[in-house]
Amino acid sequence: MGRTLGAFCVLLIFVFTISRLLPGDPVERILFSQSKGGQGRLTDLTLRREKIYKELGLHLPDFYLAIGSLAIPDSFSRIQDVKLREAVVYTSYWSGDPARSFFLCTRLKQLSRLPLNITVASEDGNCKEIFSDAVLRSDDSALKKFWAELLISSEENGWRKWVPVFTVNSDNKFHRWIFGHPDTDTRYALSSDGVLLGDLGFSWSRGRQVSSLLKFPFLLSMLLAIGTIIVCAPLSLLSGAFLTLKKNSRWVRVGHVLSVLVYSMPMFWVAVLLLYFLASPLFLNLLPSSAPVLTTDGSVADWLLSIVYQWRNFVIPFVAMACTTYIYHSQFVYEMLLEETAKPYVVTLRAKGLSESQILFSRALKNITVPYIISLLNLFPALISGSIIMDYLFTLNGMGTIIIQACDVRDFPVIAGVLLIVGGFTILIYPLTDVLVALIDPRLKNTAEK
Amino acid sequence: MNVKGFLVNIFDFLKRTWQGRFLLVVFFLVISAPLWMNESPLLRYDKGDISFPFLSSEKYGESNSLSTDGWEVNALLMYSPNSVDPLNDGFVGPFDQQYQLSETGERERISIRKRHWLGTNLRGNDLLADVIYGTRNSMIIALSGACLSLVFAAVLGFVGGWYFQTGIKTNIARLLLSVVAFVWILFIQENILIYSDRLIALIGLLIFILPLNWLLTRVEVRFLQSNIAIRIDDIIGLISGLLLSLPRLVILLAIMQLLKPSLLSMIILLGFTGWIELSRLIRSEIIRLKSNSFLDAAVMSGVKGQRLMLKHVLPNVWPSIVVLFIYTISGNTNIESILSFMGMGLPPDVPSLGRTIGSGKFDYEVWWIFFLPGLWLSMILYCFFKVAESYRKQLNG
C-alpha cells in the first residue's frame, strides 16, 4: 500500500516535470491553432494573448521553491511577451539592476526599437553594445539619460548575478495542478478541484474538460487491451497445452517457426498486411478499411452500441494486437509445461497410468497458472502501446491521436492527463495482481501482503 | 575484462547459426553502404586533379560534367536515398519496364547497374536506397541506443545490487556538501546565462567544495560525523518502477519534442528510456553473486573497486546480460520504426524504414512500397530474436 502511494507521488512529479519541460511557448501555439485563416488585429491578438496567459496561470512560478538571483528575480516570469522577457532577463543579467533594465526595455519596446537579436548576442556577452546602439539611434533624451544611469550602476552591480535567492511560493503551477484553485475572477471560469480530487483541468487548445475529452479514448484503449487479454488467455493456454501434447509432430515445428516469424514482425506492419489482404479490392474485400464513426456525445452505453454495430471496423486492429500476445503466451505456456512435465511428480502420475492429456489438463496446468497470470497482466503497458499504434493507423480517435495533437500544441493538461491515467492504471494493476495471485494460490498470501 | 576476446567470442557465436551470419552480413553491408550504393562517384579525375566526391556532403549534380580526358569510378549502384530519377517516377514497380537516357538522348531500356531493383515511389526515389540507408540508420540508432542504456543500466544496477539492503554509508557532512553542490548546479542551470560564466561558476564550485570536504572530514563535530546510510536501491527501484508503469511508446511520444529530431537525439531518447529491464537484471544478478564466497575471498584478499568489478563481478554477470542486450537492440529497432511510421521519429530528410512503410500504407496498388521494406524489417527482427533465443539455450545448457 505504501509502495503504491509512493509510486503515485513520484508519478505526479514526473508527469508534471515532463510536460513542463517541453520547449516552445504554449500561448503562441494555441493562438496559432485557433486563428484559422484570417489574421486578427494586433490589439485583439495582444488582448487574447493576455487573456490566455492569465487563464492558464502562466505568470505563476513552477514549484514551491524557486531559485533566482539578485539580478534575475522571479517576478520577471510575469512579463507576458516572450521577446520582451528575454531582453529584460539578459539586460538585467548584464547590468545587475532589475528595475532599471525593465524600464529601459519597456521604453525601447514602446519606441519599437527593442533589439531582436538579444539572445544570440548575449551568449558572447556584448549586450551592452547592442543596447547603446539602439539607444543612441533614438531621439528620446530621457532614455539617453536613463541609459547613462544604467551604465554607471552596472559597474557597481556586476556581482549581483552570482548571489542566489531562494523564494518560497505558496501559489504556484504545481500547487494549482494538484490541489486546484478557487476562481475569484469571474471573467475566467476556469476553477478546478485539482488532480488529487480527480479533476484533470481544462484543455488549453480544445476548451473542454480533460476528463470528458479523455473518457472515450481511454475506454477504447481499455476495451482493446482488456479484450485482447480476455480472448488470448484461454486460447494461448489451450494451444500451449496442445503444442506440448504434439511436441514431436513436424507440423508443430513448422508452426513454431511461423509463429516466431509473425511474433517478430512489427505490429503496424501486421496490421497493414491484414488491411492489404482482407480489406482491399485487390484481394478479399471482406472488411471495411475506413474509420468507424463512434457516438462520443452520449452515454457509455450508446458508445458501446456504436462499437457493436461497427464491429467489422475493429476486427483488423484487434487481430493485429491479439496475435502478438497470443503467440508470445502460447510459447510461454509451452516452455513452462515442458519444464513441468520433466518433474518427478509427472513421472509418478505416468506410472500410475494417467494419460498425457489428463496429466496436462488436470495437474500441470494448475501449477503454471500463477506465473502465467503475472506475465499476462505485466503485458498491460505493451497493450496500451499497441492500442495507440492501432489508433494512429485506423484513426479510431483513441489516446494516440489525442497525445500526438496535444504534444504538438503543448497542451499541458492533456499530456499530463494521458500520462497520469495510463501510469496510474498500471500502478493499480500491480496490487491487483498480488490479490489475484493470493486468491489462486493461498500459499503465496504471505508474500503478497509484504 | 578482455575486450578483444569477448568480441571474438560474440563473432564466433554469431557465425554458428544462419540467422547470426545473416545479421553479420547485413551489418557489414549496411555500414559500408556509402561505398557501394551512392549517387556521387567514389573517385574522380578531372583536369589533372583527383577528388573523392562521395566524402563531401553536398549533392553531386549534373553540373559537374567531365572534360574529355576525365574519368570517374562510380559506386556499384548509383542511387542515394534522395536522388530523383525523373524518367522512372510515379511508382515504377520492380518488375515493370524501366528506362534510361541513351548517349543520343533517347529513352532506352535501363542497364543492369542503373535498374531500380525494388522499384521507385511517386517522386522517383529508389526504394532500394531508402531501404539500405534506412536499415543503416535504424541499426546505428538501435546499437548505440542499446549501448547507452547498457551503460546506464550497468551503473544503476551495480549500485543498486551492491548496496542492496545496506545502503551507501556516508556521513552528514558529505551529504550536506552534495546537497549544496546540487543546489548550486541548479542555480547555474537556471540563472547563469552565458557559457563562459557557467564555466567560472563550475570551477568556483570545485574550489569551494574540495577544501570544505577536506575540512569537514577532519574537524571533530559529532553531528557532522555521524553515519547515515542512503538507501540508494529503493530510490532506483522507485524510478525504474515508474518508468516501467508507463508504456515506453507513450513516454517517447511525450518527450520526443524535448530535443530537435535527429539521429543523435533519437539515440539519446531511446537510451534514456530503455535501461530499466537491463538494470533490474544486473541488480538481481549482483545480489545473487554477492552471496557467493569467492567474492568474499576476493574482498578479503584486498581486491578493490574497479578491479573487483571488472575481474570478478562482470565476467559472471555478462552472459545473462547479453541475451537481454540483444532483445534491447531489436526492441529499439522496432520502436524507432514505429515512431517514424507515426511521423514522430527521424526528420523527413533522414531515411528510415518505418517512414518508408508508412508512406505506402494505404496505396494497395503499389505493394512494393510497404511490402518489401516491411519484409526486410521483419527478417532482421526475426534474426535478432532467434540469435537471442539460441544464446539463451546455450547458456541454459
Side-chain angles (χ1 to χ4, degrees):
Chain A
M1 194 63 204
R3 227 182 154 68
T4 316
L5 274 182
F8 265 117
C9 292
V10 179
L11 182 71
L12 282 179
I13 296 173
F14 176 78
V15 164
F16 182 80
T17 325
I18 281 291
S19 39
R20 292 289 165 164
L21 275 178
L22 291 177
D25 189 15
V27 180
E28 287 295 323
R29 287 183 185 246
I30 289 167
L31 279 177
F32 184 74
S33 72
Q34 279 177 354
S35 67
K36 291 187 183 96
Q39 188 86 18
R41 274 180 301 140
L42 199 63
T43 46
D44 189 31
L45 265 181
T46 322
L47 276 178
R48 267 164 70 197
R49 178 178 290 133
E50 196 177 319
K51 181 168 172 267
I52 292 176
Y53 211 86
K54 205 159 182 187
E55 274 180 0
L56 306 184
L58 286 174
H59 57 284
L60 294 169
D62 280 333
F63 203 64
Y64 292 105
L65 195 67
I67 312 178
S69 62
L70 280 180
I72 309 175
D74 63 332
S75 51
F76 277 177
S77 65
R78 285 162 195 271
I79 304 172
Q80 288 164 21
D81 191 347
V82 182
K83 283 273 183 296
L84 179 68
R85 195 194 313 149
E86 267 179 13
V88 173
V89 163
Y90 275 94
T91 324
S92 174
Y93 179 75
W94 157 73
S95 68
D97 195 343
R100 283 206 177 89
S101 317
F102 178 70
F103 286 125
L104 178 80
C105 289
T106 36
R107 184 82 187 113
L108 276 174
K109 188 171 162 27
Q110 281 166 7
L111 297 171
S112 63
R113 283 196 177 277
L114 195 66
L116 291 174
N117 49 355
I118 184 79
T119 336
V120 184
S122 307
E123 308 267 295
D124 317 328
N126 58 356
C127 186
K128 191 170 147 189
E129 282 139 44
I130 292 173
F131 267 102
S132 63
D133 194 38
V135 170
L136 288 179
R137 275 197 283 115
S138 71
D139 308 325
D140 198 343
S141 61
L143 196 65
K144 280 177 183 165
K145 194 182 156 203
F146 198 73
W147 173 247
E149 274 180 36
L150 187 70
L151 273 183
I152 295 166
S153 76
S154 74
E155 282 169 15
E156 294 168 3
N157 295 328
W159 54 272
R160 291 170 75 97
K161 65 186 174 194
W162 298 108
V163 182
V165 175
F166 298 92
T167 39
V168 180
N169 314 290
S170 59
D171 190 14
N172 54 48
K173 287 176 192 160
F174 185 72
H175 184 88
R176 282 195 175 187
W177 184 58
I178 296 277
F179 298 105
H181 63 105
D183 190 21
T184 48
D185 197 341
T186 46
R187 267 192 306 163
Y188 315 114
L190 270 176
S191 65
S192 83
D193 299 333
V195 169
L196 271 192
L197 293 179
D199 188 351
L200 290 171
F202 223 75
S203 163
W204 292 355
S205 62
R206 301 190 184 209
R208 279 175 65 188
Q209 285 280 329
V210 174
S211 37
S212 78
L213 186 71
L214 288 182
K215 185 177 164 196
F216 289 114
F218 177 68
L219 280 180
L220 187 70
S221 291
M222 285 295 119
L223 199 70
L224 283 175
I226 294 176
T228 307
I229 286 183
I230 288 174
V231 169
C232 285
L235 266 184
S236 54
L237 213 58
L238 279 181
S239 60
F242 180 74
L243 283 178
T244 330
L245 274 181
K246 306 269 179 202
K247 63 186 165 198
N248 294 323
S249 155
R250 187 189 295 145
W251 291 110
V252 167
R253 260 177 271 154
V254 172
H256 174 79
V257 172
L258 274 182
S259 63
V260 173
L261 198 63
V262 174
Y263 175 69
S264 52
M265 284 177 188
M267 194 187 282
F268 64 88
W269 195 59
V270 175
V272 170
L273 276 191
L274 284 174
L275 266 179
Y276 183 60
F277 286 117
L278 295 180
S280 76
L282 296 182
F283 281 91
L284 305 169
N285 204 351
L286 292 176
L287 300 163
S289 61
S290 57
V293 186
L294 304 177
T295 50
T296 51
D297 44 1
S299 66
V300 177
D302 291 345
W303 177 77
L304 266 177
L305 265 183
S306 70
I307 286 186
V308 171
Y309 284 139
Q310 305 176 59
W311 62 274
R312 284 149 58 90
N313 296 57
F314 288 90
V315 172
I316 294 176
F318 191 73
V319 170
M321 270 177 72
C323 75
T324 320
T325 319
Y326 164 68
I327 290 169
Y328 175 78
H329 277 98
S330 57
Q331 290 299 321
F332 181 82
V333 171
Y334 172 61
E335 283 179 15
M336 295 286 289
L337 279 181
L338 277 191
E339 263 179 41
E340 203 65 26
T341 45
K343 282 183 179 169
Y345 79 91
V346 174
V347 179
T348 319
L349 288 177
R350 277 197 197 117
K352 279 181 173 176
L354 269 73
S355 70
E356 281 295 313
S357 56
Q358 268 175 324
I359 295 174
L360 276 184
F361 286 106
S362 62
R363 310 295 164 100
L365 272 185
K366 271 184 195 168
N367 288 333
I368 66 160
T369 324
V370 169
Y372 179 63
I373 282 180
I374 292 176
S375 145
L376 260 182
L377 288 180
N378 280 352
L379 213 70
F380 198 77
L383 286 176
I384 294 282
S385 294
S387 80
I388 284 176
I389 299 167
M390 288 307 132
D391 166 32
Y392 170 78
L393 189 52
F394 293 91
T395 355
L396 299 178
N397 280 326
M399 306 271 261
T401 329
I402 297 247
I403 196 174
I404 290 177
Q405 283 175 3
C407 286
D408 206 35
V409 295
R410 305 281 182 273
D411 196 344
F412 154 71
V414 177
I415 304 172
V418 170
L419 287 173
L420 207 63
I421 287 180
V422 172
F425 204 83
T426 324
I427 288 176
L428 276 183
I429 272 190
Y430 292 129
L432 195 78
T433 317
D434 287 347
V435 170
L436 217 64
V437 163
L439 277 181
I440 291 166
D441 192 349
R443 286 175 300 173
L444 295 171
K445 208 169 182 178
N446 292 330
T447 50
E449 272 168 6
K450 268 175 198 173
Chain B
M1 186 164 167
N2 190 349
V3 174
K4 193 180 156 201
F6 171 69
L7 286 181
V8 168
N9 266 341
I10 282 197
F11 191 70
D12 278 349
F13 177 76
L14 283 177
K15 271 198 312 191
R16 232 173 278 161
T17 52
W18 71 263
Q19 289 97 350
R21 289 197 289 273
F22 176 79
L23 277 186
L24 275 181
V25 169
V26 167
F27 186 73
F28 285 115
L29 276 183
V30 150
I31 292 300
S32 63
L35 285 177
W36 57 271
M37 176 147 220
N38 212 323
E39 126 189 89
S40 331
L42 303 178
L43 187 64
R44 176 189 156 94
Y45 176 82
D46 195 20
K47 291 168 193 154
D49 37 72
I50 291 180
S51 62
F52 304 95
F54 80 106
L55 290 176
S56 72
S57 56
E58 58 198 67
K59 209 164 162 97
Y60 190 78
E62 292 291 317
S63 57
N64 304 5
S65 55
L66 286 170
S67 56
T68 46
D69 61 336
W71 47 267
E72 53 187 26
V73 180
N74 278 309
L76 185 63
L77 299 168
M78 291 166 59
Y79 295 107
S80 290
N82 290 323
S83 57
V84 177
D85 185 357
L87 276 182
N88 296 310
D89 59 357
F91 300 117
V92 177
F95 306 122
D96 293 355
Q97 187 74 266
Q98 299 175 359
Y99 299 101
Q100 69 177 15
L101 279 184
S102 65
E103 300 271 320
T104 53
E106 292 163 36
R107 282 169 71 148
E108 59 174 20
R109 282 190 63 171
I110 206 158
S111 67
I112 213 157
R113 263 184 77 189
K114 288 203 158 184
R115 196 176 166 77
H116 301 280
W117 291 101
L118 299 187
T120 63
N121 66 3
L122 180 66
R123 290 176 56 224
N125 298 352
D126 188 34
L127 189 62
L128 182 61
D130 261 356
V131 168
I132 294 292
Y133 280 85
T135 319
R136 187 165 189 258
N137 288 336
S138 80
M139 284 243 171
I140 290 172
I141 287 173
L143 256 178
S144 338
C147 288
L148 190 61
S149 321
L150 186 63
V151 171
F152 271 122
V155 172
L156 294 175
F158 268 124
V159 170
W162 199 255
Y163 298 106
F164 171 65
Q165 285 184 342
T166 55
I168 293 181
K169 287 193 184 65
T170 181
N171 52 27
I172 289 188
R174 289 246 173 82
L175 190 67
L176 279 179
L177 277 187
S178 27
V179 168
V180 167
F182 181 70
V183 169
W184 184 253
I185 286 172
L186 271 186
F187 170 72
I188 292 173
Q189 166 68 23
E190 291 285 317
N191 293 299
I192 306 288
L193 305 175
I194 299 173
Y195 287 115
S196 55
D197 283 356
R198 286 187 176 187
L199 203 63
I200 294 170
L202 280 177
I203 294 169
L205 175 69
L206 280 184
I207 293 171
F208 176 70
I209 284 285
L210 288 178
L212 209 63
N213 186 20
W214 185 85
L215 197 71
L216 282 175
T217 44
R218 270 157 191 73
V219 174
E220 287 284 333
V221 182
R222 190 178 287 169
F223 169 68
L224 290 179
Q225 302 290 323
S226 54
N227 284 323
I228 49 168
I230 300 172
R231 301 285 292 270
I232 190 91
D233 184 40
D234 290 357
I235 300 170
I236 295 174
L238 209 58
I239 296 171
S240 65
L242 168 78
L243 285 181
L244 216 58
S245 75
L246 288 166
R248 201 174 169 203
L249 187 65
V250 176
I251 303 182
L252 278 172
L253 283 180
I255 64 175
M256 212 55 222
Q257 302 182 353
L258 279 184
L259 305 174
K260 239 177 170 183
S262 73
L263 224 58
L264 187 67
S265 69
M266 199 76 186
I267 289 171
I268 293 172
L269 290 175
L270 286 182
F272 265 93
T273 48
W275 54 267
I276 307 139
E277 274 111 358
L278 273 169
S279 100
R280 290 202 156 189
L281 180 77
I282 294 173
R283 172 181 169 274
S284 63
E285 287 286 308
I286 298 269
I287 291 173
R288 188 177 61 80
L289 267 184
K290 261 181 82 179
S291 60
N292 284 10
S293 49
F294 78 90
L295 265 188
D296 292 336
V299 173
M300 293 300 277
S301 55
V303 185
K304 264 185 190 170
Q306 218 175 3
R307 192 181 157 79
L308 185 75
M309 286 296 165
L310 292 184
K311 290 273 175 187
H312 295 264
V313 177
L314 196 57
N316 288 297
V317 182
W318 193 248
S320 53
I321 299 177
V322 168
V323 178
L324 197 57
F325 183 67
I326 298 172
Y327 280 126
T328 311
I329 296 175
S330 74
N332 279 353
T333 316
N334 198 348
I335 209 152
E336 187 273 324
S337 69
I338 289 173
L339 283 173
S340 300
F341 178 78
M342 296 173 89
M344 302 282 289
L346 293 172
D349 57 325
V350 180
S352 149
L353 283 177
R355 201 184 32 258
T356 310
I357 298 171
S359 69
K361 66 187 171 198
F362 285 128
D363 294 337
Y364 303 118
E365 301 284 337
V366 286
W367 53 274
W368 56 93
I369 291 198
F370 70 85
F371 187 72
L372 299 173
L375 196 65
W376 176 249
L377 180 61
S378 314
M379 202 63 204
I380 289 170
L381 289 175
Y382 172 74
C383 289
F384 271 123
F385 191 78
K386 283 309 254 188
V387 164
E389 201 181 47
S390 59
Y391 201 96
R392 202 186 65 203
K393 278 191 179 147
Q394 189 198 19
L395 275 185
N396 294 343

